[in-house]
Amino acid sequence: MNQSTQPKALSPTCPEPIEQGWLRNDWLELAFLHWPYDPETIQALLPEGLTVDLHDDQAWVSLVPFQMRRAGPTWLPPIPYVSNFWETNVRTYVIDSAGNRAVWFLSLDCVRLLVVAFARWTIGFPYFWADMDVQVTGRRRRYVTTKRRWPRAPAASTTISIDVGNEIEPNDLDLFLTARWGTVAASLGRLWFHAVDHEPWTLHDATVVELSDTAMTAPGLPSPVGAPIVRWAQPVQARFARPVRV
C-alpha cells in the first residue's frame, strides 16, 4: 500500500470550487452507515493506482441510500422522471496517484435504467438497475432496495430504517468520511478523477431501527462487524468537473 504522492489535506469545504461543471446532482434524504474494515481487505479490492485511505489505521466502507434530483448535464434542463431517482451505493475511501482523497464505489443501485447505462458506459461507475422504495414519515426514513435487474449478478438487496436525530458538530471521523471532494472511476483501462463541489455537509445523528443488507458483501467484502456509525445529511447541490486522468 505504498503511496508516493502526499495525500491532500481534508477540508469541510471544497478546496477548489467548481462554478458550473459539466454534471449537476442534488442529493436529498441521504443516510450514511459506516463500518471499519481491515486495510488489507479493502486494498485487495482496489485497482492498481489507488491506495486505501485510513483513519486511525482503519479502512472504512459506507452504505449510502439517498435521493438524487435534477441529475444531468449542466447545459440541459432536468428531464422529468429520468433526472429524479433513488440510489443506494457502497463506497470506500482512497488516495489516487495525484494525492486526491476520493470515493471509490464498489456498487451503486439505481432505479433508472438510462442513468445506469450512461454511468456504466461513459463514466465507469459500477451501477446496477434495481428496484427501490423509500418511505419518509416524521423522523423515520426507510430505504428498501431489491431485485437487481441489470446486471443481475451479483445479487444484492438492502433494507435500512433509521430515526433521524439532532444536528451534530462533525468530528474528525465524520470529516474523514464525508469531506471527499471527488470520486475515482475506471474507464477505458484508466483511472479518472471526478472533482465535485457542494455546500459543507450538515449532519445529524441517527439510530438504526432495521437493517438487512447483502450489498456490502456482494462486491467481495466480508460481512461488517458491529453496529455502524449512522448519520443523516441535509440536502446539498453538487457540481462535477470534467474528469482528469490520474
Side-chain angles (χ1 to χ4, degrees):
M1 297 189 297
N2 295 325
Q3 180 66 39
S4 58
T5 302
Q6 182 69 21
K8 297 180 180 179
L10 292 170
S11 169
T13 58
C14 183
E16 299 179 10
I18 300 167
E19 293 299 325
Q20 183 175 6
W22 81 286
L23 287 177
R24 66 166 180 275
N25 304 154
D26 294 351
W27 303 336
L28 301 89
E29 294 296 348
L30 188 148
F32 293 105
L33 286 77
H34 307 292
W35 286 270
Y37 268 85
D38 173 69
E40 296 292 344
T41 298
I42 304 304
Q43 188 65 45
L45 297 178
L46 301 179
E48 184 177 353
L50 295 181
T51 302
V52 61
D53 202 356
L54 305 180
H55 185 274
D56 289 340
D57 298 323
Q58 289 183 311
W60 287 81
V61 178
S62 303
L63 183 62
V64 184
F66 68 104
Q67 183 182 26
M68 196 177 291
R69 287 185 182 171
R70 298 194 319 120
T74 55
W75 61 87
L76 290 177
I79 303 172
Y81 181 76
V82 174
S83 295
N84 301 319
F85 52 88
W86 293 95
E87 175 181 310
T88 300
N89 64 61
V90 177
R91 67 190 227 176
T92 191
Y93 305 92
V94 300
I95 305 168
D96 67 22
S97 61
N100 297 304
R101 304 179 77 169
V103 167
W104 174 260
F105 290 113
L106 297 171
S107 69
L108 308 97
D109 289 295
C110 170
V111 299
R112 298 285 183 262
L113 177 59
L114 184 60
V115 173
V116 170
F118 173 82
R120 288 185 74 95
W121 294 334
T122 66
I123 301 176
F125 288 153
Y127 263 94
F128 294 82
W129 182 31
D131 293 339
M132 189 169 179
D133 178 69
V134 179
Q135 298 174 1
V136 177
T137 307
R139 287 184 172 268
R140 181 155 297 180
R141 274 65 174 156
R142 190 170 191 266
Y143 311 85
V144 179
T145 306
T146 59
K147 194 177 180 181
R148 284 183 173 173
R149 296 175 177 271
W150 179 81
R152 293 187 176 183
S157 62
T158 301
T159 299
I160 301 167
S161 184
I162 64 169
D163 283 343
V164 178
N166 296 325
E167 183 178 336
I168 62 169
E169 185 68 27
N171 58 32
D172 288 345
L173 181 56
D174 289 318
L175 181 68
F176 175 86
L177 294 167
T178 62
R180 298 286 161 163
W181 304 107
T183 66
V184 179
S187 179
L188 303 175
R190 305 181 188 277
L191 293 177
W192 302 86
F193 176 70
H194 301 252
V196 65
D197 181 16
H198 56 74
E199 308 93 311
W201 291 105
T202 300
L203 300 177
H204 291 238
D205 196 8
T207 303
V208 171
V209 177
E210 178 185 10
L211 176 60
S212 175
D213 174 72
T214 57
M216 294 277 289
T217 56
L221 287 170
S223 297
V225 177
I229 294 172
V230 188
R231 301 287 187 257
W232 179 87
Q234 294 185 20
V236 297
Q237 295 181 331
R239 299 164 299 284
F240 283 85
R242 290 190 178 276
V244 295
R245 184 180 170 188
V246 290

